[in-house]
Amino acid sequence: MTKYYLTTAIPYANAAPHIGTAIDYLYGDILLRYQLLRGKQAKLSIGTDEHGTKIEQKAAASGQTPQQLVDQLQPEFQRMRQALELNFGAPLSQIGAELAKQDFATQNIVNIRTSDPLHVKRVQAIWRRLDQAGVIYKSTYRGWYCAGCEAFVTESEAREHDFICPDHSRPYEKLSEDNYYLAVSKFTDQLREFIRTAVVPEFRGKELLELLKDGAQDVSISRPADKLSWGVAVPGDPSQVMYVWIDALSNYLTVLGYPDEEWHDDYWPAQVEIVGKDILRFHAIVWPAMLLALGLPLPEKLMVHGFINVDGSKMSKSIGNVVSPLEIIDNYGVDAFRYYFTAHVPTFEDGDFSWDKFESAYNGELANDLGNLLARVIAMIRKYFGGNLSFVGDDNELKDQAETLLGNYKVAMDGLNLHDAVLAIMEYVHELNQYIERSAPWQVAKLEDKSERQARLDQVFSTLVNGLLLVAKYLSPFLPDTAQQLHQAVGGDSVPETTSIIFPKKYLHSESAKHD
Ligand SMILES: [Zn+2]
């Protein structure tokens, strides 16, 4: 199997992308780069969910059409993708083009917008197939509804909040309407099995299994057209428009061309689908039910990440603690962003950001441990070897440590634990720093015996250069720029005349840290 397909959840495009979207992109890109390194023909899908009442309402409020609103937000998504230096494999403008103008064969990343006519056409074809499979039926739904949430709540949820939506401070309306339903309940046994085997981490799967203990519930998959007009029309029934599920979840297939005859079926099923914990339920229940009804295999893994808090609190506009990924990247560089959100955020749980923690990681781990390591090695190679990088013999006195790194890294990456993988690399960086102290090249350089001196220096610097190149290799999915800089510095015949400092120290937010 050389094909490898990764998907990211498509964010709702009623506002500029936030940090959650940046995390989806980042994790997707790291896994993409890792699989490409392993020689896989890997593809990553990204996109935007562009239909629904909220976009319709927001557009109306600003005197735009919904299409104009979502079109206008696209440059913001593009800016984020560019800033994160995703491995597109094609010009960014091509990634942003409509699906028909993208080139699946050459792009590493394919992008789908649910307002794309090709997506709409394919989603309608998917609906027809589901209908033919006998899993769609019409029924009347009665319940409490919040137009802000675009969702019904249960009687007990509505009562709990005194019949007022806590998120929108508006009373729930009692609605009765005709909806189409997807017969998810038919698949309860297969869904349980899927959740048991596919959800990473396991504890998230256990929470879901608890939810399914009385069986899966059928879900409403359409709305009356007079309540929701900005969406995909239900084929054969102009009175109904598709609700988010079929439309948005299908993106992972429509981006591959499904169900057109010539779809890229060799990329299905996805090896990994990356989702935030808030949307796991739909990806672990509704989505696999759709796939089972379509007779398609299920994704191998659902990788579930948590949320990012700021200084221990939920990020919110009203608190004013929203952190912009672009601000971090503009000030510290993209690799610093990529490092913090893998090394300092547990991959499967909620993480915390604060400028203090960020700067401490930047100045301590990136500037001191890694940047300073490279600077010292380069300075000594210039001093003791005139910058020459061809050492006699190919010694590596840190072979055991390299084995440990390799083992831990592989286990972590195979388990989708990006956090542990990057920590394994940093542990090895730590070993390299200790090795410098232990081998004390400045002492070796003072040895009287010239041949003994040279042999030992060759041994030490061969070890260090091998070590740095190993760091570059393993770091490349995570910090691609840094990996390249390490390679440029010590990967050739000699150290380049000029090498720039990687991760120069910066204290833009935490004044106190200067006195460490
Ligand atoms: Zn609401």
Side-chain angles (χ1 to χ4, degrees):
M1 238 299 290
T2 59
K3 306 275 196 267
Y4 200 98
Y5 181 44
L6 296 150
T7 70
T8 55
I10 52 172
Y12 196 54
N14 65 340
H18 52 72
I19 202 148
T21 300
I23 297 293
D24 280 333
Y25 286 162
L26 173 60
Y27 288 5
D29 186 63
I30 290 168
L31 293 172
L32 170 70
R33 288 174 186 271
Y34 176 65
Q35 295 302 334
L36 289 170
L37 263 185
R38 295 180 68 207
K40 301 277 184 184
Q41 289 172 275
K43 306 280 178 196
L44 169 70
S45 81
I46 59 172
T48 35
D49 170 15
E50 305 193 335
H51 289 131
T53 309
K54 280 187 228 169
I55 284 173
E56 200 176 346
Q57 288 170 344
K58 188 171 179 178
S62 59
Q64 291 171 298
T65 66
Q67 189 67 60
Q68 282 169 332
L69 176 76
V70 293
D71 286 350
Q72 193 183 298
L73 281 164
Q74 276 304 303
E76 307 263 4
F77 285 91
Q78 287 284 80
R79 201 169 305 141
M80 176 85 89
R81 294 161 188 160
Q82 184 173 34
L84 283 165
E85 295 189 1
L86 307 184
N87 187 5
F88 303 110
L92 182 67
S93 59
Q94 188 177 317
I95 305 297
E98 59 187 282
L99 200 51
K101 289 186 181 150
Q102 294 181 50
D103 180 18
F104 190 84
T106 59
Q107 289 173 208
N108 297 328
I109 296 181
V110 279
N111 177 28
I112 184 146
R113 300 176 53 190
T114 59
S115 68
D116 191 310
L118 212 45
H119 171 78
V120 169
K121 189 192 95 182
R122 288 171 183 167
V123 165
Q124 287 178 321
I126 287 172
W127 179 288
R128 276 188 224 102
R129 287 190 180 208
L130 291 170
D131 195 23
Q132 280 156 16
V135 292
I136 291 181
Y137 64 92
K138 205 171 192 177
S139 180
T140 302
Y141 185 89
R142 277 180 203 84
W144 296 104
Y145 185 81
C146 171
C149 301
E150 284 188 65
F152 283 99
V153 295
T154 62
E155 183 72 28
S156 61
E157 275 177 89
R159 190 179 306 278
E160 191 186 321
H161 296 112
D162 291 326
F163 301 93
I164 294 166
C165 171
D167 294 333
H168 296 95
S169 306
R170 63 204 278 176
Y172 291 117
E173 308 160 63
K174 190 91 195 186
L175 274 194
S176 167
E177 60 177 39
D178 280 347
N179 288 175
Y180 285 102
Y181 281 76
L182 184 71
V184 176
S185 57
K186 272 191 173 184
F187 302 103
T188 297
D189 289 343
Q190 289 120 297
L191 294 175
R192 285 192 183 123
E193 183 55 24
F194 173 67
I195 291 166
R196 266 193 287 270
T197 53
V199 176
V200 180
E202 227 171 90
F203 77 88
R204 297 266 182 229
K206 291 214 172 96
E207 291 167 6
L208 273 187
L209 287 171
E210 189 56 29
L211 210 74
L212 286 189
K213 67 180 193 299
D214 299 323
Q217 305 284 314
D218 293 352
V219 294
S220 159
I221 52 170
S222 75
R223 291 285 178 273
D226 57 1
K227 291 211 185 68
L228 170 65
S229 63
W230 178 236
V232 181
V234 168
D237 186 350
S239 76
Q240 293 278 318
V241 169
M242 288 185 208
Y243 188 55
V244 60
W245 310 131
I246 306 274
D247 177 10
L249 290 167
S250 294
N251 91 86
Y252 307 124
L253 282 176
T254 60
V255 75
L256 296 179
Y258 184 87
D260 296 354
E261 195 62 40
E262 65 282 15
W263 77 292
H264 302 281
D265 60 343
D266 45 351
Y267 277 92
W268 191 261
Q271 273 63 46
V272 181
E273 298 206 316
I274 301 167
V275 299
K277 65 178 184 182
D278 53 329
I279 52 170
L280 169 62
R281 212 192 277 198
F282 315 114
H283 284 80
I285 298 173
V286 181
W287 175 226
M290 286 169 60
L291 291 166
L292 288 163
L294 292 167
L296 292 173
L298 304 182
E300 288 173 17
K301 295 289 172 205
L302 274 181
M303 173 186 185
V304 192
H305 64 79
F307 292 158
I308 305 296
N309 295 317
V310 173
D311 292 316
S313 314
K314 199 177 158 184
M315 233 183 271
S316 101
K317 276 185 195 142
S318 53
I319 301 177
N321 65 347
V322 175
V323 171
S324 151
L326 296 180
E327 186 188 352
I328 301 172
I329 294 169
D330 287 347
N331 286 309
Y332 301 88
V334 62
D335 277 5
F337 180 92
R338 295 175 66 113
Y339 178 76
Y340 185 86
F341 287 97
T342 43
H344 288 269
V345 166
T347 308
F348 305 124
E349 285 169 62
D350 290 352
D352 194 58
F353 175 89
S354 73
W355 287 108
D356 269 351
K357 278 192 219 168
F358 179 82
E359 284 205 338
S360 140
Y362 178 91
N363 289 307
E365 293 149 40
L366 294 176
N368 260 344
D369 296 349
L370 185 57
N372 202 27
L373 168 67
L374 178 66
R376 287 178 86 188
V377 171
I378 286 176
M380 289 190 282
I381 289 172
R382 286 198 174 116
K383 188 167 175 188
Y384 304 135
F385 297 87
N388 199 319
L389 281 164
S390 46
F391 310 110
V392 176
D394 190 23
D395 272 315
N396 188 347
E397 298 196 296
L398 294 177
K399 275 210 178 76
D400 290 349
Q401 290 86 341
E403 284 295 316
T404 305
L405 162 63
L406 176 67
N408 292 343
Y409 183 82
K410 195 170 177 321
V411 167
M413 289 307 276
D414 290 349
L416 307 175
N417 194 327
L418 307 179
H419 172 265
D420 286 5
V422 85
L423 288 200
I425 306 169
M426 292 312 282
E427 179 58 37
Y428 185 70
V429 167
H430 181 66
E431 299 281 358
L432 287 170
N433 277 311
Q434 285 194 322
Y435 176 78
I436 295 186
E437 298 309 318
R438 210 162 58 229
S439 57
W442 48 92
Q443 305 279 4
V444 178
K446 288 181 194 153
L447 289 176
E448 292 288 336
D449 184 319
K450 190 180 176 226
S451 66
E452 189 193 347
R453 182 176 70 223
Q454 202 52 52
R456 180 60 187 148
L457 282 175
D458 275 342
Q459 204 170 29
V460 169
F461 284 90
S462 171
T463 297
L464 287 169
V465 167
N466 274 320
L468 283 170
L469 291 175
L470 199 63
V471 169
K473 180 179 166 190
Y474 289 125
L475 216 45
S476 67
F478 292 86
L479 314 185
D481 286 354
T482 306
Q484 201 181 5
Q485 282 173 303
L486 288 172
H487 212 270
Q488 275 164 0
V490 295
D493 295 336
S494 61
V495 174
E497 289 284 310
T498 51
T499 49
S500 49
I501 295 171
I502 60 170
F503 305 113
K505 291 213 173 191
K506 278 185 190 179
Y507 297 99
L508 304 178
H509 285 85
S510 50
E511 280 301 310
S512 60
K514 279 181 191 170
H515 307 297
D516 278 359

